[in-house]
Amino acid sequence: MKAFTLPVSTVLFHVVALGFFGGCAAWLVQEALSLGERREMMGFAVALASGAQVLMSLSTLRALWSARGPMPLSPRSRVGTYLQFLGLMVLLVLFGVHLIHTEGRPALGTFCVGLAVWLGVLGLHLVPALFLSADGFIDHLGRHTRFSELEWYSLQKSEGTPPRVLLQVGRGSTLRLEARLRGAEVEGVKGRLREAGLALEPSSS
């Protein structure tokens, strides 16, 4: 299994996200106070959403710190998923630019552009999105799926270029996690799952 390494890029990404969305939340509140009642409520709602982004980054940083050096994996998504993320990013950027230059809402517009960048970095896997820790998996949202919550795993070759291996882990008949791994990561992940006592599905290659 590949040696555990510090996920520097992910930590830096979430530290930047903390500062950006924290600043946006304060700016959105300030902007909302200068608007009419209806637009003011919308501004406060988006400020809460920005605050939720801060909490999400804090949760991820806490989970990574508690894991004491998790192994970053490089999962990949289907092409259609990437296209969906790109489309959403473009819409958010255009909407943000419109809010800044036409509606006079710089705080809300900046939040939209920042959210597009945040989604792009995570959705396009520009930083590691999945980590294998000593007791389970941690995703980019800070969610911790522990080995104690799992029973089985499967590894199947996935079509595409470059070739990937589809990893699925679950409990009973419930799928808990799915990711497409690089070939170099498969043996390390398989060994760790075996050590954790998970059973390999008979149909898995």
Side-chain angles (χ1 to χ4, degrees), residues 20 28 34 48 56 61 89 97 102 107 109 129 158-159 161 183 186 198 200 203:
F20 176 80
L28 283 160
S34 65
L48 287 175
M56 195 178 299
L61 290 172
M89 289 167 57
V97 171
T102 305
S158 178
E159 296 180 357
T161 304
V186 173
L198 274 66
L200 178 66
S203 60

Side-chain angles (χ1 to χ4, degrees), residues 77-150:
S77 302
R78 297 180 178 88
V79 174
T81 302
Y82 288 127
L83 293 177
Q84 290 174 358
F85 269 103
L86 286 172
L88 181 58
M89 289 167 57
V90 171
L91 287 175
L92 281 171
V93 169
L94 291 176
F95 184 56
V97 171
H98 170 75
L99 288 169
I100 294 171
H101 294 287
T102 305
E103 298 293 329
R105 302 284 299 276
L108 184 56
T110 301
F111 171 80
C112 290
V113 174
L115 182 60
V117 174
W118 185 87
L119 287 172
V121 171
L122 295 181
L124 302 178
H125 302 299
L126 300 182
V127 296
L130 186 65
F131 302 89
L132 182 60
S133 69
D135 63 348
F137 294 92
I138 300 171
D139 68 11
H140 57 268
L141 300 180
R143 293 175 298 196
H144 200 162
T145 304
R146 301 181 186 279
F147 293 138
S148 59
E149 304 170 10
L150 304 170

Side-chain angles (χ1 to χ4, degrees), residues 168-197:
Q168 293 182 322
V169 293
R171 185 179 186 89
S173 60
T174 304
L175 177 65
R176 297 295 305 275
L177 185 147
E178 180 177 286
R180 285 172 171 74
L181 306 177
R182 295 185 305 182
E185 298 169 335
V186 173
E187 289 303 315
V189 172
K190 183 190 294 186
R192 187 66 190 90
L193 296 180
R194 283 176 174 171
E195 291 175 9

